[in-house]
Amino acid sequence: MKLGAVVLTMGNRPEELRALLDSVAKQDGDPVEVVVVGNGSPLPPLPEGVRTIELPENVGIPAGRNVGIEAFGPGGSDVDVLLFLDDDGLLPGTDTAELCRQAFAADPELGIISFRIADPDTGVTQRRHVPRLRASDPLRSSRVTTFLGGANAVRTTVFQQVGGLPDDFFYAHEETDLAWRALDAGWMIDYRSDMVLHHPTTAPSRHAVYHRMVARNRVWLARRNLPALLVPVYLGVWLLLTLARRPSKTALRAWFGGFREGWKTPCGPRRPMKWRTVWRLTRLGRPPVI
């Protein structure tokens, strides 16, 4: 089983990027072919054998990763599995690639694997990095309904069947959009606690566009993927959750601005999931209303 890796970077973490690439090169088994995409920035010198693409402008996370996918042929068809790794992450073990090969080979229905993200200093996995509602035990592997964008592996047949990440999302919820389409096509998603990416503990709200993008893309996600009956339920639940978290007035203003934008702007093609997929998501522990 042939593996490739896509790393998206803004070019502002050259030391971390080099450490990540070194950790990929140390993986057991056949070498993992790597493509580094410079998202609107020039790339620093990189190890020999690493392929590079420099985009003239920042096109956002999903569009940048899609460029990396296509670097491996249409839908990534030159390889069997693609790893997506944050440029400030690091694979502490040398067996991650081999564990991926074994997992996909053993389960033909498995389409996506979400790795466990752990802080390199404390070993702590943030609750938000466990892609399920029951997130108190990050060391428990399970089937899940979404995955982590900068620490995952995807069977390239998934891209060829359901398409890539939604370019226009730019940042936030693009993984869930792909996950729902993959699940609707019959694929499964696993969270694997034994496949670890070291990554410094951060808060998503550090991004200036966080609150607007989260709200706008949440609306787009629902409009694109949910049966019409569930769209207002899903968005109503998230509105109540947002208010319950008592964000600052500035954050709430940005959130409502993004929420309105999500209704007023095109969301891309609408392909509502089947009701049996809704039931499938519910059986997996996360009905698509939360």
Side-chain angles (χ1 to χ4, degrees):
M1 186 169 289
K2 190 173 182 181
L3 268 60
V6 174
V7 180
L8 188 65
T9 183
M10 297 286 291
N12 55 352
R13 300 167 178 152
E15 294 182 5
E16 293 91 338
L17 175 59
R18 184 64 183 243
L20 169 66
L21 296 177
D22 287 346
S23 73
V24 174
K26 292 175 182 176
Q27 292 299 300
D28 300 333
D30 293 338
V32 179
E33 186 177 350
V34 180
V35 168
V36 176
V37 179
N39 205 359
S41 63
L43 293 172
L46 298 176
E48 186 177 351
V50 173
R51 296 162 59 192
T52 61
I53 300 172
E54 293 185 355
L55 302 178
E57 61 179 340
N58 181 358
V59 297
I61 293 173
R65 287 184 175 145
N66 283 339
V67 169
I69 294 169
E70 294 303 309
F72 289 95
S77 56
D78 293 345
V79 294
D80 301 297
V81 172
L82 278 175
L83 279 62
F84 295 86
L85 305 170
D86 273 352
D87 65 343
D88 56 345
L90 184 140
L91 297 173
T94 62
D95 62 346
T96 303
E98 195 60 31
L99 288 172
C100 282
R101 292 186 184 97
Q102 293 170 6
F104 284 112
D107 186 354
E109 292 185 346
L110 180 61
I112 303 171
I113 297 174
S114 189
F115 300 166
R116 179 167 66 90
I117 294 179
D119 184 273
D121 297 321
T122 65
V124 172
T125 296
Q126 291 180 271
R127 189 179 183 89
R128 70 183 182 89
H129 284 154
V130 183
R132 59 176 179 245
L133 292 180
R134 295 174 181 173
S136 59
D137 182 8
L139 298 182
R140 178 174 68 87
S141 300
S142 68
R143 295 283 202 199
V144 289
T145 61
T146 188
F147 63 99
L148 307 172
N152 67 80
V154 182
R155 196 190 295 266
T156 54
T157 311
V158 173
F159 297 125
Q160 294 153 32
Q161 185 173 356
V162 307
L165 297 158
D167 284 353
D168 291 340
F169 277 43
F170 197 87
Y171 164 80
H173 302 320
E174 67 270 10
E175 302 92 356
T176 300
D177 187 89
L178 176 61
W180 283 1
R181 285 182 281 126
L183 288 162
D184 197 47
W187 297 101
M188 301 300 292
I189 305 170
D190 278 358
Y191 166 71
R192 287 284 297 264
S193 64
D194 56 337
M195 301 182 191
V196 180
L197 181 86
H198 276 174
H199 188 282
T201 298
T202 56
S205 55
R206 69 191 186 279
H207 299 291
V209 297
Y210 172 76
H211 296 286
R212 181 176 71 86
M213 292 289 189
V214 162
R216 183 197 68 180
N217 293 359
R218 183 81 69 185
V219 177
W220 282 358
L221 179 68
R223 290 174 59 198
R224 285 164 58 93
N225 296 287
L226 290 180
L229 186 64
L230 294 184
V231 172
V233 179
Y234 175 81
L235 295 176
V237 167
W238 278 104
L239 172 60
L240 293 175
L241 283 172
T242 300
L243 295 174
R245 290 168 177 166
R246 298 187 177 184
S248 68
K249 289 183 179 179
T250 300
L252 196 58
R253 191 179 303 112
W255 193 93
F256 273 110
F259 193 81
R260 287 191 296 270
E261 184 182 349
W263 284 108
K264 292 180 177 180
T265 54
C267 64
R270 173 167 165 76
R271 299 186 182 96
M273 65 178 65
K274 308 173 190 72
W275 280 104
R276 68 168 177 262
T277 304
V278 173
W279 175 237
R280 191 181 193 193
L281 288 161
T282 303
R283 287 190 293 111
L284 287 169
R286 189 157 196 162
V289 294
I290 190 169

